[in-house]
Amino acid sequence: MKNNLSERRAERRWTQADLAAALGVSRQTVISIEREKFDPSLPLAFLIARTFDCTIEDIFTAE
Amino acid sequence: MSKASFTSKRAPAHHYVLAIILGVILTVVVSVLVGASNPDDFWLAAGIGALCAAYPAMSLGGKVFVSNHTVTRDPRGEQSVELQWMRQAGAGAFLDVLVAIVVASLVLAIGRFDIDALPVLLGLVALSVVDAGLRYVVIRHRALK
């Protein structure tokens, strides 16, 4: 899946560690999602969307 | 399989005592068994058995009586990428061990070799541990580079 997580994170001036702490996951998880090497689980995708006040489709799109 | 986090809490004092008692009992049992299997050098064998068993036995005691108070389950551990890496490494190592067993069995059957089982089993344990560890490192490196 493609995603715009890094852009959204940059808009908020968050580091990857900040986002990882907000999501309760490791920084490696955030890095892997941003590099599109790891598709998050549905609960984590919902949590990411809730963190950025948007829907899952706003962040993740099918390739 | 999930991640765990240490807390700042401490277990009640008597739980630490119980953990040590369980560890000592298990260590003594293992050392007596090892000593009994080598009656000619009972005390040497029992001592080596005790040295080998002490750490895992104490760890088991800690796990049973202390960890419930000092370690909490990471609620989102299942969602971290490390779990996927571990699963991939474990699955790959399992297949490698399976192939190694098949190949070794063929070689032993065709060559009609007669060897002790213990070194072979220890070799398989070492292979699985090293294989899974190396695979994890490689998968992690590829994902983060």
Side-chain angles (χ1 to χ4, degrees):
Chain A
M1 277 195 300
K2 290 196 168 299
N3 69 75
N4 56 18
L5 192 59
S6 59
E7 289 86 349
R8 287 183 177 270
R9 178 175 60 76
E11 284 172 10
R12 296 198 176 197
R13 300 188 179 197
W14 283 358
T15 64
Q16 289 170 329
D18 293 335
L19 180 56
L23 297 174
V25 298
S26 64
R27 194 170 67 87
Q28 282 79 9
T29 301
V30 172
I31 294 171
S32 298
I33 294 171
E34 287 187 355
R35 293 183 182 176
E36 297 168 359
K37 293 188 174 181
F38 174 60
D39 291 334
S41 65
L42 201 51
L44 183 56
F46 272 111
L47 185 60
I48 292 170
R50 204 180 311 139
T51 302
F52 288 103
D53 299 317
C54 60
T55 64
I56 290 177
E57 294 89 338
D58 292 334
I59 299 175
F60 297 99
T61 51
E63 284 184 290
Chain B
M1 185 165 37
S2 67
K3 292 168 64 182
S5 305
F6 287 98
T7 69
S8 57
K9 294 179 189 169
R10 293 178 64 85
H14 69 279
H15 282 233
Y16 291 97
V17 175
L18 288 172
I20 292 171
I21 290 172
L22 178 61
V24 169
I25 289 172
L26 288 175
T27 302
V28 169
V29 168
V30 170
S31 64
V32 168
L33 285 175
V34 173
S37 68
N38 295 276
D40 293 340
D41 291 312
F42 179 87
W43 290 109
L44 177 64
I48 293 172
L51 282 175
C52 294
Y55 184 77
M58 290 294 174
S59 299
L60 182 62
K63 169 67 181 165
V64 172
F65 292 109
V66 178
S67 292
N68 287 340
H69 299 274
T70 58
V71 179
T72 59
R73 186 174 176 273
D74 186 342
R76 300 212 180 93
E78 298 276 341
Q79 327 226 349
S80 286
V81 71
E82 288 90 343
L83 184 62
Q84 178 174 303
W85 295 342
M86 267 193 280
R87 284 178 175 154
Q88 287 175 346
F94 172 74
L95 283 177
D96 288 344
V97 170
L98 202 59
V99 170
I101 290 173
V102 170
V103 171
S105 301
L106 278 174
V107 170
L108 290 177
I110 293 170
R112 297 185 182 280
F113 297 111
D114 188 17
I115 59 172
D116 290 338
L118 187 59
V120 176
L121 291 174
L122 289 175
L124 282 175
V125 171
L127 171 67
S128 59
V129 170
V130 172
D131 193 347
L134 283 176
R135 280 179 173 274
Y136 183 89
V137 170
V138 170
I139 291 168
R140 183 180 187 280
H141 177 72
R142 282 183 184 163
L144 296 179
K145 78 175 179 184

